[in-house]
């Protein structure tokens, strides 16, 4: 007469499946220690095979395990769907970014390139109403501003600005790199304001999700695609 299978043998069989799964982890170079749907199903079947015939698993427990398996499978399918959507979104971003090569964009920066005979357009971000707005322009070879603009009282918002490439003496400046500084005076102290300037997009660097970078002429460092304020 064969010996009935006890709850201990059920537990041992279950533990054996878990140990088997854990031993496979390093070979798969997978640091995730959670059970997937295949491992979960294997555990459930193992428990059914080794249950005590004199004390079988209740229907309620079996239904509960089926519900858990359904949840695990649903989460796995959801993760796969999200990954597919993320991949499609990243491809769409890459396509949009590649279309910007050779175009001018308005991005947060204080540096830009002046083309020969051209002009620079930009924007000043004004967080609150101010009584005075000053914009100074510096060349790469001078510590003194070559152009100073007093734009007076301004409301809160984004103010469009432009520079025709001429200095305070109305002399046309050579093509090259220039720096813009915008500020206001509060209690006699300079308070800097953020500027956005237009520049050409030379190339695009594709990274991961939400990590499409633009290499913009004259701008120090790369600019994220979502930082583009305007396409000119």
């Amino acid at each position: 007469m064969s010996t009935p299978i006890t709850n201990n043998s059920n537990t041992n069989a279950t533990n054996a499946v878990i140990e088997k799964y854990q031993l496979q982890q390093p070979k798969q170079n997978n640091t995730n220690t959670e059970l997937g749907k295949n491992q979960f199903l294997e555990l459930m079947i193992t428990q059914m095979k080794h249950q005590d015939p004199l004390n079988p698993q209740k229907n309620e427990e079996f239904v509960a395990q089926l519900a858990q398996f359904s949840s695990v499978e649903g989460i796995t399918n959801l993760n796969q769907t999200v990954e597919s959507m993320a991949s499609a979104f990243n491809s769409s971003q890459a396509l949009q970014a590649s279309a910007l090569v050779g175009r001018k964009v308005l991005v947060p920066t204080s540096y830009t390139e002046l083309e020969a005979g051209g002009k620079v357009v930009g924007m000043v971000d004004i967080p609150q109403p101010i009584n005075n707005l000053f914009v100074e322009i510096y060349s790469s070879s001078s510590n003194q501003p070559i152009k100073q603009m007093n734009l007076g009282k301004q409301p809160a918002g984004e103010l469009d600005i432009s520079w025709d490439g001429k200095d305070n003496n109305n002399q046309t400046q050579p093509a090259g790199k220039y720096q813009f500084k915008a500020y206001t005076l509060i209690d006699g102290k300079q308070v800097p304001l953020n500027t956005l300037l237009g520049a050409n997009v030379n190339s695009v660097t594709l990274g991961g999700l939400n990590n499409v970078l633009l290499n913009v002429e004259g701008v120090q460092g790369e600019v994220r695609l979502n930082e583009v304020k305007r396409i000119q």
Side-chain angles (χ1 to χ4, degrees):
M1 180 176 178
S2 61
T3 303
I5 299 174
T6 64
N7 288 334
N8 287 336
S9 64
N10 191 349
T11 301
N12 293 337
T14 301
N15 291 336
V17 173
I18 295 176
E19 290 176 1
K20 169 188 171 184
Y21 169 67
Q22 291 175 337
L23 289 173
Q24 290 175 345
Q25 290 299 97
K27 297 179 182 179
Q28 298 172 348
N29 292 324
N30 187 358
T31 57
N32 183 13
T33 58
E34 296 182 358
L35 294 179
K37 65 178 183 179
N38 292 334
Q39 291 78 23
F40 185 91
L41 183 59
E42 186 177 352
L43 279 174
M44 188 172 68
I45 293 174
T46 301
Q47 288 178 340
M48 292 174 62
K49 287 181 178 179
H50 294 81
Q51 64 181 332
D52 186 353
L54 301 178
N55 185 25
Q57 187 179 29
K58 295 181 180 180
N59 291 337
E60 294 82 358
E61 295 176 354
F62 181 68
V63 171
Q65 286 187 331
L66 285 178
Q68 292 176 15
F69 174 72
S70 178
S71 297
V72 171
E73 185 175 25
I75 293 173
T76 300
N77 293 337
L78 178 61
N79 288 339
Q80 293 174 347
T81 301
V82 171
E83 288 177 0
S84 298
M85 292 176 62
S87 178
F89 178 73
N90 198 37
S91 298
S92 176
Q93 275 198 325
L95 183 61
Q96 293 178 18
S98 63
L100 294 178
V101 176
R103 302 280 301 274
K104 274 194 173 183
V105 294
L106 205 64
V107 295
T109 182
S110 58
Y111 293 89
T112 189
E113 289 278 340
L114 173 67
E115 298 177 353
K119 67 176 183 179
V120 174
V121 296
M123 185 183 294
V124 178
D125 185 12
I126 305 173
Q128 61 186 31
I130 56 176
N131 293 324
N132 44 65
L133 171 62
F134 301 94
V135 177
E136 296 179 345
I137 303 172
Y138 296 77
S139 69
S140 58
S141 59
S142 174
N143 293 326
Q144 299 297 321
I146 61 169
K147 179 70 175 182
Q148 294 171 304
M149 295 183 285
N150 186 348
L151 302 181
K153 187 176 182 179
Q154 298 293 337
E158 296 173 334
L159 176 68
D160 289 330
I161 60 173
S162 64
W163 178 47
D164 59 5
K166 297 181 179 180
D167 63 10
N168 290 327
N169 299 319
N170 206 32
Q171 298 295 315
T172 300
Q173 298 300 296
K177 190 173 184 178
Y178 291 85
Q179 181 183 12
F180 283 61
K181 290 184 180 180
Y183 63 90
T184 186
L185 294 177
I186 298 179
D187 296 330
K189 296 181 179 179
Q190 288 190 10
V191 177
L193 300 173
N194 294 328
T195 58
L196 299 93
L197 301 175
N200 287 326
V201 177
N202 292 331
S203 62
V204 174
T205 301
L206 303 180
L209 182 62
N210 294 325
N211 195 26
V212 178
L213 303 176
L214 306 179
N215 303 300
V216 183
E217 187 174 3
V219 176
Q220 292 182 336
E222 295 174 311
V223 178
R224 293 183 181 275
L225 179 61
N226 58 10
E227 292 180 313
V228 174
K229 186 68 176 180
R230 182 188 300 167
I231 302 173
Q232 299 175 327

